[in-house]
Amino acid sequence: MKVISHGGAGRKVIEAHMNIAICDDESRIREGIRQLLKETFPEAEVREFSTGGELLLAAGGSYAPDIVLLDIAMEGMNGMETARKLRDLSDTLLIFVTGVKEQVFQAFDVGAFHYLLKPVEKEKLISVMTRAIAEVEKAKARPKIMLVKVQDGYRRLNVVDILYAESDGRKVILHMRNEKLEFYEKMDELEKRLGEDFYRCHRSYLVSLAEIRGYDSTSISISNGEKIYLAKRKYGEFVQIYCRFLQE
């Protein structure tokens, strides 16, 4: 996606694929923001949520928003409570949307990137979103590091070195470029930590999309020559996700 910053004399083109979530209990506000986003960032995937609970349910599953535009004063679970719970699930970039300027000071307690005042002005939205997208791009460009607890302490790993993960009872085996590493962790938790660049192709396997070299209806070939199981019921979903990954 090409994003053009309209501020200043020079125009900066930013290329990115972005998942953007709008969470607001007013349908008119959601639709207005969505329309502004689609006009300026037409290739962005924009999803709407009317409650914090809906957003958290999606984020706790397979949905991974890069940026969330979150209303503070929602009925039921408000934006601040939603943001705190969202922080336990992901490090998504948060932009608060509010009609009361005094509320914005709360936003920075949960590490919000910025805020927008209602009614949302198009130029302000474009300015904030362009900077937010640049920030997401910068974060994605950094090598991703994770810590795992092993028998003699903790190991710091570069995620790009992981080919695939295998479940073995209560343990996980990480198959890496130059070694295998075993440690205690639930596969579901590891899947959340590794994020959207990995795919759960079978209940016992989690594969790096970047390391796939081929596949058929029952297996996936990895860059090191190994093959791992692909569950038949996941074949259609896998093909869609892998093709989208290659296009990006």
Side-chain angles (χ1 to χ4, degrees), residues 155-171:
R155 282 280 304 275
R156 185 174 181 266
L157 306 177
N158 194 331
V159 172
V160 298
D161 290 332
I162 301 172
L163 307 181
Y164 68 94
E166 178 183 4
S167 175
D168 182 20
R170 293 169 56 208
K171 286 186 176 181

Side-chain angles (χ1 to χ4, degrees), residues 14-226:
I14 305 168
E15 295 189 5
H17 172 81
M18 291 290 144
N19 288 321
I20 301 172
I22 306 166
C23 185
D24 196 302
D25 57 359
E26 295 183 70
S27 59
R28 178 178 56 84
I29 298 293
R30 291 198 310 273
E31 183 54 37
I33 294 174
R34 181 189 182 91
Q35 188 61 39
L36 291 175
L37 289 174
K38 294 306 287 183
E39 287 174 8
T40 313
F41 315 114
E43 294 182 27
E45 292 188 20
V46 182
R47 286 182 60 175
E48 295 181 36
F49 301 90
S50 60
T51 68
E54 285 181 9
L55 173 61
L56 292 170
L57 185 63
S62 60
Y63 182 57
D66 295 297
I67 300 170
V68 175
L69 292 128
L70 182 61
D71 181 25
I72 293 180
M74 293 187 290
E75 293 290 333
M77 186 188 303
N78 65 33
M80 293 305 301
E81 186 180 354
T82 301
R84 291 189 185 98
K85 292 184 177 181
L86 190 60
R87 275 285 172 256
D88 292 333
L89 298 173
S90 74
D91 57 355
T92 186
L93 190 146
L94 287 172
I95 298 172
F96 278 104
V97 183
T98 179
V100 183
K101 190 172 183 179
E102 287 69 24
Q103 289 180 328
V104 302
F105 298 107
Q106 304 172 50
F108 302 102
D109 292 339
V110 289
F113 176 76
H114 216 291
Y115 67 90
L116 294 165
L117 291 174
K118 297 179 182 179
V120 177
E121 297 177 1
K122 182 176 181 178
E123 289 303 315
K124 184 66 174 177
L125 176 70
I126 292 172
S127 173
V128 171
M129 286 299 298
T130 300
R131 283 184 281 138
I133 288 170
E135 188 67 23
V136 171
E137 281 187 320
K138 189 165 63 176
K140 286 183 174 182
R142 293 189 207 107
K144 189 176 178 183
I145 303 298
M146 65 182 284
L147 285 176
V148 297
K149 191 176 188 307
V150 292
Q151 192 171 11
D152 56 349
Y154 286 86
R155 282 280 304 275
R156 185 174 181 266
L157 306 177
N158 194 331
V159 172
V160 298
D161 290 332
I162 301 172
L163 307 181
Y164 68 94
E166 178 183 4
S167 175
D168 182 20
R170 293 169 56 208
K171 286 186 176 181
V172 165
I173 303 172
L174 283 187
H175 295 256
M176 306 182 69
R177 297 191 191 283
N178 300 310
E179 65 174 321
K180 293 181 183 179
L181 188 65
E182 294 187 18
F183 54 94
Y184 289 97
E185 184 163 354
K186 292 180 180 178
M187 199 68 156
D188 291 346
E189 294 302 317
L190 181 63
E191 182 179 6
K192 289 179 183 177
R193 286 215 287 158
L194 288 176
E196 61 183 9
D197 288 338
F198 285 74
Y199 180 73
R200 187 79 170 269
C201 57
H202 183 277
R203 61 186 175 86
S204 298
Y205 292 94
L206 182 61
V207 63
S208 168
L209 294 171
E211 298 300 328
I212 293 173
R213 295 298 178 265
Y215 62 89
D216 56 34
S217 60
T218 60
S219 66
I220 294 173
S221 301
I222 311 299
S223 58
N224 66 352
E226 294 184 56

